[in-house]
Amino acid sequence: MKIAVLGATGLVGRTMLQVLEERGFGNPEKYEIIPSASPRSIGTSIPFAGRRLTVVSPQDAIAAHPDYAIFSAGASASRLYAPLFAEVGCTVVDNSSAWRMDPNVPLVVPEINMADIAPSHRIIANPNCSTIQMVLSIFLLHARYKIKRIVVSTYQSVTGTGMKAIKQLEDEERLYVSHIQPENYAPAYPNRIFRNLFPHGGDFNDDGYTTEEQKLVNETRKILGDDTIQVSATVARVPVVGGHSESINVEFHQPILIDDVRSIIAQTPGVILADDPANNIYPMPIMAHGKDEVFVGRVRLDPSQPNTINLWCSADNLRKGAATNAVQIIQALLSNS
């Protein structure tokens, strides 16, 4: 079986290779992994499962007729290359925003809606990292009580922006702590991120909300299959490396029991309930870093609103928020074939 990885040299692409290796795709007798990237990386080699793989062009990856392709190469590359891979019979799992709201493309979190994928689908969209951890935290609560409204504030790691943002944080830390002037300082953000945070993720729309915030609205409705759910989102970027966190307020149509809510969350696949505030146990990015689960805690009733709860969740945005979710889709497809 051949699996291509587009964008293999980036943060998410490297994490995809790591997750593929961890999940049993490292045996060269069973799987051929084909890394592909931008022209400046073609011909270089990257480590995988104790050996080194040569990075090839997207055209060469297509010519290899892979069975599956995982994309982390950006929306424009996905729009260009995903149909070309699909034409040779390859099933594409795309991590960009290019196909998420296409009505003919399923938007999938494997624990929730694998049934949305039909045998005819050749392009499958991976949701936004913040959407994945939110819907995974609450989808069984929606099945039990039916969600009416969500108010969510995200606290997003710089890794969600990429290596340029990590370098900005590191450069600013050296400057402000050690007074070492960074070389080739090229910030990813319009504001300082070290010892700071700002309510800005994505581009601003005319209504004052950002594209990252709009993704939480649109993608949640599509994944849960319910356009009546009202979502109000605020995205903040924080000086954290290795995990996103979210404060989520959820109002339900039906009366709720808080013990039942906790029990449902604890039984949700892919979720770990970390909710013992008396012992200072609650989700944190450092807890989620390097792990595939979504950690949920601070579960409590909202005393200001009937049938409403507050909760807090943290997840590794490079893993479950991107790479792991994509690889899990392929695993699920293989197990169902």
Side-chain angles (χ1 to χ4, degrees):
M1 177 171 291
K2 297 178 182 180
I3 301 174
V5 180
L6 255 70
T9 57
L11 268 181
V12 174
R14 293 204 301 268
T15 307
M16 286 173 170
L17 290 171
Q18 180 182 346
V19 174
L20 282 168
E21 181 177 348
E22 292 171 358
R23 291 178 174 255
F25 292 93
N27 184 348
E29 296 181 1
K30 295 180 64 178
Y31 303 102
E32 179 183 350
I33 306 301
I34 306 167
S36 180
S38 61
R40 65 178 177 273
S41 298
I42 294 171
T44 61
S45 65
I46 52 178
F48 178 75
R51 59 191 189 275
R52 299 194 71 84
L53 305 177
T54 300
V55 178
V56 302
S57 68
Q59 292 83 358
D60 286 341
I62 294 168
H65 287 78
D67 301 279
Y68 294 93
I70 312 176
F71 277 41
S72 180
S76 59
S78 294
R79 292 188 191 99
L80 174 62
Y81 289 115
L84 300 179
F85 276 84
E87 284 177 6
V88 298
C90 176
T91 298
V92 175
V93 181
D94 177 47
N95 194 58
S96 80
S97 61
W99 304 97
R100 289 175 185 158
M101 299 316 298
D102 187 316
N104 298 313
V105 174
L107 181 66
V108 175
V109 178
E111 295 90 342
I112 301 176
N113 62 330
M114 277 298 297
D116 289 352
I117 302 176
S120 60
H121 285 128
R122 282 289 171 261
I123 300 175
I124 301 162
N126 223 31
N128 180 264
C129 47
S130 297
T131 305
I132 289 174
Q133 70 184 76
M134 182 174 76
V135 295
L136 194 56
S137 301
I138 61 177
F139 84 96
L140 286 184
L141 296 175
H142 179 56
R144 173 68 175 85
Y145 296 114
K146 190 170 172 56
I147 293 171
K148 180 178 182 181
R149 183 171 185 256
I150 301 168
V151 181
V152 56
S153 295
T154 71
Y155 303 79
Q156 298 185 201
S157 161
V158 295
T159 54
T161 308
M163 287 299 303
K164 188 176 181 180
I166 296 175
K167 185 177 185 300
Q168 176 181 343
L169 178 59
E170 293 173 345
D171 284 348
E172 290 172 350
E173 182 175 12
R174 282 192 292 268
L175 176 63
Y176 291 100
V177 174
S178 304
H179 305 290
I180 299 173
Q181 190 70 34
E183 296 182 5
N184 303 317
Y185 179 64
Y189 301 125
N191 296 293
R192 188 179 116 189
I193 187 62
F194 178 67
R195 293 185 178 176
N196 191 32
L197 61 83
F198 42 80
H200 182 180
D203 301 320
F204 282 101
N205 298 320
D206 292 340
D207 61 2
Y209 287 89
T210 70
T211 51
E212 284 288 302
E213 292 161 351
Q214 193 61 46
K215 290 173 187 176
L216 282 157
V217 178
N218 298 338
E219 294 178 20
T220 296
R221 292 171 175 168
K222 183 171 180 179
I223 294 165
L224 297 182
D226 190 340
D227 287 338
T228 69
I229 297 174
Q230 300 300 301
V231 182
S232 179
T234 300
V235 167
R237 190 70 64 179
V238 296
V240 169
V241 177
H244 290 356
S245 297
E246 298 176 353
S247 173
I248 309 172
N249 179 273
V250 190
E251 180 184 359
F252 299 94
H253 284 278
Q254 300 178 25
I256 57 174
L257 298 172
I258 193 62
D259 289 341
D260 187 42
V261 166
R262 289 196 179 95
S263 177
I264 290 171
I265 293 172
Q267 296 173 45
T268 301
V271 168
I272 293 177
L273 183 66
D275 194 18
D276 185 6
N279 291 301
N280 299 316
I281 296 174
Y282 31 70
M284 298 176 288
I286 199 169
M287 178 188 292
H289 182 60
K291 298 182 176 66
D292 291 329
E293 296 82 10
V294 176
F295 293 79
V296 178
R298 296 297 317 278
V299 182
R300 59 209 189 275
L301 289 171
D302 181 347
S304 71
Q305 181 77 12
N307 307 327
T308 305
I309 61 169
N310 286 295
L311 59 85
W312 174 272
C313 69
S314 296
D316 189 318
N317 53 292
L318 296 181
R319 291 184 67 95
K320 185 53 182 174
T324 299
N325 197 77
V327 175
Q328 285 176 319
I329 290 172
I330 292 178
Q331 288 182 298
L333 290 171
L334 289 172
S335 66
N336 293 333
S337 61

